């Protein structure tokens, strides 16, 4: 029994935050090099039976302030007081019961009784990701609410849940990208133990859990580091959200430790199976060893040695070097492929504004269908080609040599839905025939697919951008969003802009919650069954051949009559191939030999009989056929 208990005790030891000393209480540590003295307050909001006390912390020559309280036990609230009376939470707090401005809470991170010791993650090729926002996924927006729907995700065939960022943010609701306390899961979702319970229960179903993390900036409210540790912020690098994080200047050693330990903390103490790194193209680091390389090495040489740990990038610069193990970089697992999404979106909706304009014939000289074909073959469509939208310059690097599983494909995600003025989903922007065709491509393509919550039943619930900031910042955010969309043709009219949901209103947040009663409707259940069928087919037929795909020999062509034809040769002979007419027009059929559409090689048809119609001379609108010959 004692051996089992030790195996299931997961704690990440680190130089930050409090350290339990058993019967000798706890040691508290704060890195504040710019502050001459710090006072530790225990139980600052005294309640009946609590012992309130204060200790002047001892400062060493390296900028650390430390204090030990021998009577302190888990459950004690604490905070630090700076000269002038400002009280601040612990930047490495594990829990904030009273939000980002309140005291931190001392926890025993090893008390949770893990029962998932059998689970070591899953191979990457088996991955089907389901991205969700904890606050809007369930009726009460909690970790417990997510756990209540694990059976739904398991039956759908999901093998990995990706949680949008959880780092403690100000207020009651937020997407999570404004987090300021990166070690504390936001208390609006539940306690750290409840998050661990969710992960533990997912593992019991052989479902991995990934976490979206943000290391390019801190949020605008509740971040006190600039008061006592301004060295956390770069003096030379800026981001779209303000000062960059100092990874390469004076004092950056502590900053880098803070971030690397945060990565290991989530993977070891919470047993996450992977992380998704937000907007890494905005992480500036001129060090000899880039912070992303240091992170990857720490993971591969740490928890990744005996578990499947997957590191995912969001990187609009299409820097394929980060996906390689070339001696310098330790290699990231995969990257979100915006190119696949954007080309599909243009084909389905005809929209060619904003970043979609790079995917239209008029601007790029290539059709959206060509962009889709190249993205499916090579992962990126932009591999050094000129991009009008992204700075009017070349974008991307060569990627054709990478395996297709280095790229994650999707038709929806939080950005592509929530960054629209009305938060409208793809199901409201196109017809069902075209959407079914695109879903069949995305779920059976060799790239790793990702769904966005509710997509599987054709949810039409909007997912809007929302954040609960203080009054002054809230008004600035509200006006900023209105001004942003005033530049769009659809919202030039002030009356039209009145339709844009207020981003700092609780009403907007609640309106973004999924309506699970949709599943009582037969039409939504039909969509769900369609997704289940395709995910099951992926696992049974596509996953077994993924490692055999010779990515450098993959090719595509736009046939004379208009359909897209993509081939992925297999090293042992045979090939996986896709035939798709991504238009609402029927076309005369190209000439195929009967063997090309032999029944035994047809893996999937977007509706029964399409192959027969093609053989007779007609390609129906939105026709998709997948073929697999692995002889």
């Amino acid at each position: 029994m004692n051996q089992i208990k030790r195996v299931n005790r997961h704690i990440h030891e680190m130089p930050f935050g409090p350290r339990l000393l058993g019967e000798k209480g706890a040691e508290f540590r704060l890195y504040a090099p710019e502050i001459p003295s710090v006072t530790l307050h225990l139980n600052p909001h005294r309640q009946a039976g609590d012992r309130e006390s204060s200790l002047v912390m001892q400062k060493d020559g390296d900028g650390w302030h430390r204090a030990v309280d021998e009577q302190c036990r888990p459950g004690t609230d604490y905070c630090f007081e700076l000269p002038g009376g400002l009280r601040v939470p612990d930047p490495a707090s594990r829990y904030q019961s009273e939000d980002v401005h309140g005291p931190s809470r001392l926890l025993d991170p090893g008390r949770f009784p893990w029962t998932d010791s059998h689970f070591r993650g899953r191979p990457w090729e088996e991955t089907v990701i389901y991205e969700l926002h904890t606050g809007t996924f369930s009726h009460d927006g909690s970790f417990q609410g997510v756990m209540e729907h694990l059976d739904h995700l398991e039956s759908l065939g999901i093998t990995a849940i990706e949680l949008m960022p959880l780092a403690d943010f100000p207020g009651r609701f937020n997407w999570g990208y404004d987090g300021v306390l990166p070690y504390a899961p936001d208390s609006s979702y539940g306690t750290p133990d409840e998050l661990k319970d969710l992960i533990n229960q997912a593992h019991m179903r052989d479902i991995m859990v990934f976490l979206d993390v943000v290391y390019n900036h801190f949020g605008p409210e509740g971040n006190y580091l600039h008061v006592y540790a301004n060295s956390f912020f770069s003096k030379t690098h800026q981001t779209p959200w303000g000062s960059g994080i100092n990874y390469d200047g004076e004092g950056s050693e502590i900053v880098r430790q803070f971030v690397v330990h945060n990565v290991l903390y989530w993977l070891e103490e919470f047993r996450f199976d992977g992380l998704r790194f937000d907007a890494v193209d905005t992480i500036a680091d001129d060090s000899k060893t880039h912070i992303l390389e240091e992170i990857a090495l720490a993971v591969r040489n740490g928890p990744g040695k005996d578990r499947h740990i997957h590191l995912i990038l969001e990187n609009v610069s299409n820097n394929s070097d980060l996906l390689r193990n070339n001696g310098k970089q330790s290699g990231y697992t995969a990257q979100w492929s915006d190119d696949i999404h954007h080309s599909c979106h243009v084909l389905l909706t005809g929209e060619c504004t904003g970043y979609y304009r790079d995917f239209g014939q008029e601007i790029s000289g290539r059709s959206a269908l060509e962009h889709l074909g190249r993205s499916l073959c090579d992962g990126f469509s932009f591999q050094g080609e000129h991009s009008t939208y992204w700075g009017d310059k070349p974008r991307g690097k060569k990627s054709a040599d990478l395996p297709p599983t280095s790229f994650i494909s999707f038709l929806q995600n939080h950005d592509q839905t929530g960054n629209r003025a009305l938060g409208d989903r793809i199901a409201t922007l196109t017809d069902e025939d075209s959407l079914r065709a695109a879903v069949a491509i995305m779920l059976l393509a060799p790239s790793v697919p990702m769904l966005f919550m509710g997509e599987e039943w054709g949810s039409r619930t909007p997912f809007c951008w929302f954040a609960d900031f203080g009054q002054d910042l809230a008004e600035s955010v509200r006006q900023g969003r209105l001004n942003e969309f005033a530049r769009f043709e659809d919202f030039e009219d002030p009356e039209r802009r009145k339709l844009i949901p207020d981003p700092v209103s609780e009403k907007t947040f609640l309106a973004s919650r999924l309506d699970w009663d949709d599943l009582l409707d037969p039409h939504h259940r039909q969509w769900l069954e369609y997704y289940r069928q395709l995910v099951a087919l992926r696992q049974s037929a596509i996953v077994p051949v993924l490692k055999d795909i010779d990515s450098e020999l993959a090719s595509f062509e736009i046939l004379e009559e208009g359909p897209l034809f993509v081939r992925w040769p297999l090293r042992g002979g045979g090939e996986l191939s896709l035939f798709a007419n991504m238009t609402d027009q029927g076309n005369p059929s190209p000439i195929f030999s009967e063997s090309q559409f032999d029944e035994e090689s047809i893996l999937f048809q977007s509706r029964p009989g399409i192959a027969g119609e093609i053989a007779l001379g007609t390609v129906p609108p939105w026709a998709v056929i997948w073929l697999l010959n692995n002889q």
Side-chain angles (χ1 to χ4, degrees), residues 543-600:
V543 168
V545 303
L546 287 178
K547 288 187 175 180
D548 295 326
I549 289 177
D550 190 335
S551 56
E552 294 194 75
L553 294 181
S555 64
F556 80 95
E557 59 180 315
I558 309 298
L559 301 177
E560 184 177 345
E561 296 80 3
L564 172 68
F565 195 45
V566 189
R567 288 186 166 98
W568 293 271
L570 305 180
R571 292 186 180 88
E575 69 176 23
L576 174 68
S577 56
L578 165 69
F579 176 87
N581 176 21
M582 296 300 286
T583 73
D584 58 5
Q585 302 295 315
N587 295 307
S589 170
I591 299 174
F592 283 109
S593 67
E594 289 187 9
S595 61
Q596 192 105 40
F597 286 114
D598 181 75
E599 276 194 32
E600 292 185 2

Side-chain angles (χ1 to χ4, degrees), residues 182-201:
Y183 287 82
D186 196 89
S187 58
S188 65
Y189 301 146
T191 66
D193 277 1
E194 287 172 328
L195 173 57
K196 292 176 182 178
D197 196 18
L198 165 60
I199 297 168
N200 189 63
Q201 291 301 320

Side-chain angles (χ1 to χ4, degrees), residues 276-347:
R276 180 263 192 190
F277 296 82
D278 177 65
V280 299
D281 52 293
T282 64
I283 297 177
D285 182 4
D286 296 328
S287 304
K288 183 177 180 180
T289 301
H290 195 284
I291 186 62
L292 290 173
E293 181 183 351
E294 185 173 342
I295 287 170
L297 286 170
V299 172
R300 301 305 179 203
N301 293 328
K305 291 174 69 175
D306 59 3
R307 291 166 54 198
H308 291 288
I309 300 291
H310 307 300
L311 303 180
I312 300 166
L313 299 170
E314 182 202 20
N315 185 357
V316 298
S317 69
N318 283 7
N319 181 3
S320 56
D321 289 346
L322 293 170
L323 301 172
R324 293 186 176 88
N325 188 347
N326 59 11
K328 180 179 179 182
Q329 298 287 352
S330 56
Y332 280 73
T333 309
Q335 177 182 318
W336 281 19
S337 178
D338 285 341
D339 290 4
I340 293 177
H341 170 271
H342 295 351
S343 53
C344 277
H345 188 90
V346 172
L347 287 167

Side-chain angles (χ1 to χ4, degrees), residues 387-578:
S387 166
T388 301
Y389 181 81
W390 294 107
D392 209 19
K393 61 185 179 181
R395 171 174 172 245
K397 295 185 177 182
K398 296 294 183 183
S399 59
D401 62 303
L402 292 166
T405 50
S406 294
F407 306 94
I408 296 171
S409 58
F410 44 85
L411 297 179
Q412 302 183 62
N413 64 30
H414 72 272
D415 271 333
Q416 307 306 336
T417 304
N419 285 338
R420 300 180 66 85
L422 305 180
D424 31 21
R425 291 171 175 263
I426 190 65
T428 68
L429 301 173
T430 190
D431 62 76
E432 294 198 353
D433 287 341
S434 63
L435 186 54
R436 283 178 178 272
V439 169
I441 292 174
M442 188 264 297
L443 283 176
L444 297 182
S447 49
V448 169
M450 182 177 74
L451 311 182
F452 184 58
M453 60 179 194
E455 171 187 344
E456 71 274 20
W457 71 72
S459 172
R460 290 173 169 257
T461 300
F463 183 73
C464 300
W465 192 87
F466 45 76
D468 184 22
F469 291 129
Q471 187 172 353
D472 292 343
L473 184 56
E475 183 56 30
S476 174
V477 168
R478 182 182 292 116
Q479 292 303 317
R481 191 154 176 88
L482 289 174
N483 293 337
E484 175 187 355
F485 287 106
R487 299 195 298 267
F488 288 74
E489 184 177 343
D490 285 350
F491 294 96
E492 289 178 349
D493 183 350
E495 290 299 311
R496 174 80 174 152
R497 289 201 293 277
K498 291 180 180 179
L499 298 175
I500 298 175
D502 181 355
V504 293
S505 166
E506 184 177 25
K507 180 180 178 181
T508 301
F509 163 62
L510 294 176
S512 298
R513 278 195 172 155
L514 285 179
D515 184 359
W516 285 86
D517 286 342
D518 281 350
L519 291 175
L520 300 175
D521 182 279
H523 185 70
H524 286 297
R525 291 201 302 271
Q526 288 173 3
W527 268 110
L528 178 59
E529 185 53 38
Y530 184 66
Y531 272 81
R532 281 177 174 161
Q533 174 193 358
L534 286 167
V535 172
L537 184 58
R538 177 181 186 82
Q539 296 295 350
S540 65
I542 303 297
V543 168
V545 303
L546 287 178
K547 288 187 175 180
D548 295 326
I549 289 177
D550 190 335
S551 56
E552 294 194 75
L553 294 181
S555 64
F556 80 95
E557 59 180 315
I558 309 298
L559 301 177
E560 184 177 345
E561 296 80 3
L564 172 68
F565 195 45
V566 189
R567 288 186 166 98
W568 293 271
L570 305 180
R571 292 186 180 88
E575 69 176 23
L576 174 68
S577 56
L578 165 69

